[in-house]
């Protein structure tokens, strides 16, 4: 896709107002999605579950889980069409300095968890290709994260 087409597409999404009048929950969701940006071919369902579980630990997300998942899916679909850092910028505008710090800490936790998950998956695939005994591989992987 040409650069000008991408810019036009992004403008349309922002002009629809999706990133206007955001709630605090919307802002946290956008920031969490930015932190968990998936690699090509990565299982989106796993990331949605991870983000949902992380967000739901916060009292701000004292809502039905289906609402949290719907919010994640709504913004995930839209953020795939725009420069996601622009969505984060829109989200930050509705947060107080304290909530920005809180959202940053949440993003850091999500990045840590997603990196551990990605590393574990990569090592599991590698151990399989190298014909490493599963128990030995699991023990090695567990020791890496316990010692880090």
């Amino acid at each position: 896709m040409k650069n000008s087409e991408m810019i036009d597409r992004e403008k349309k999404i922002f002009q629809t107002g999706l990133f206007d009048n955001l709630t605090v929950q919307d802002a946290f969701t956008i920031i969490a999605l930015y932190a968990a940006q998936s690699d090509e071919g990565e299982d989106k369902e796993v990331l949605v579950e991870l983000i949902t579980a992380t967000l739901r630990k916060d009292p701000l997300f004292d809502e039905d889980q289906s609402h949290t998942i719907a919010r994640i899916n709504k913004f995930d679909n839209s953020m795939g069409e725009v420069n996601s850092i622009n969505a984060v910028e829109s989200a930050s505008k509705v947060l107080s300095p304290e909530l920005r710090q809180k959202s940053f800490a949440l993003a850091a936790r999500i990045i840590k968890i997603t990196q551990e998950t990605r590393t574990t998956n990569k090592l599991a695939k590698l151990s399989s290709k190298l014909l490493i005994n599963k128990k030995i591989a699991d023990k090695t992987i567990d020791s890496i994260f316990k010692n880090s």
Side-chain angles (χ1 to χ4, degrees), residues 17-27 30 74-75 87-94:
L18 180 64
F19 295 99
D20 295 340
N21 302 317
L22 297 171
T23 66
V24 170
Q25 291 85 355
D26 293 339
I30 290 166
K74 174 177 111 176
F75 287 112
V88 169
E89 187 177 353
S90 294
S92 73
K93 291 176 183 175
V94 302

Side-chain angles (χ1 to χ4, degrees), residues 111-124:
I111 288 170
K112 182 179 189 250
I113 293 167
T114 56
Q115 291 305 318
E116 287 178 2
T117 302
R118 289 173 182 145
T119 301
T120 299
N121 291 341
K122 209 176 264 187
L123 288 170

Side-chain angles (χ1 to χ4, degrees), residues 42-101:
E42 195 167 12
D43 187 355
K44 284 269 194 188
E45 246 181 76
V46 171
L47 285 177
V48 169
E49 289 172 14
L50 182 145
I51 294 169
T52 301
T54 305
L55 290 174
R56 303 242 333 126
K57 290 177 184 174
D58 193 290
L60 286 171
F61 287 85
D62 185 23
E63 62 186 3
D64 188 87
Q65 184 168 338
S66 64
H67 290 111
T68 303
I69 292 170
R71 180 181 289 113
I72 292 167
N73 287 326
K74 174 177 111 176
F75 287 112
D76 184 41
N77 291 334
S78 299
M79 286 175 66
E81 301 293 324
V82 299
N83 182 340
S84 56
I85 199 67
N86 291 340
V88 169
E89 187 177 353
S90 294
S92 73
K93 291 176 183 175
V94 302
L95 299 176
S96 67
E98 295 82 17
L99 288 175
R100 279 191 226 122
Q101 288 176 343

Side-chain angles (χ1 to χ4, degrees), residues 1-53:
M1 183 179 300
K2 293 180 185 174
N3 197 24
S4 61
E5 289 174 358
M6 288 175 57
I7 291 170
D8 289 343
R9 216 166 156 182
E10 187 167 335
K11 281 181 185 176
K12 283 181 185 175
I13 289 173
F14 276 97
Q15 288 169 351
T16 63
L18 180 64
F19 295 99
D20 295 340
N21 302 317
L22 297 171
T23 66
V24 170
Q25 291 85 355
D26 293 339
F28 270 64
T29 301
I30 290 166
I31 293 163
L33 283 163
Y34 178 80
Q37 288 179 354
S38 63
D39 293 335
E40 192 66 33
E42 195 167 12
D43 187 355
K44 284 269 194 188
E45 246 181 76
V46 171
L47 285 177
V48 169
E49 289 172 14
L50 182 145
I51 294 169
T52 301

Side-chain angles (χ1 to χ4, degrees), residues 112 116 120 138-148:
K112 182 179 189 250
E116 287 178 2
T120 299
D138 290 346
K139 187 175 178 180
T140 302
I141 293 167
D142 287 345
S143 72
I144 289 169
F145 292 114
K146 286 179 185 173
N147 293 327
S148 60

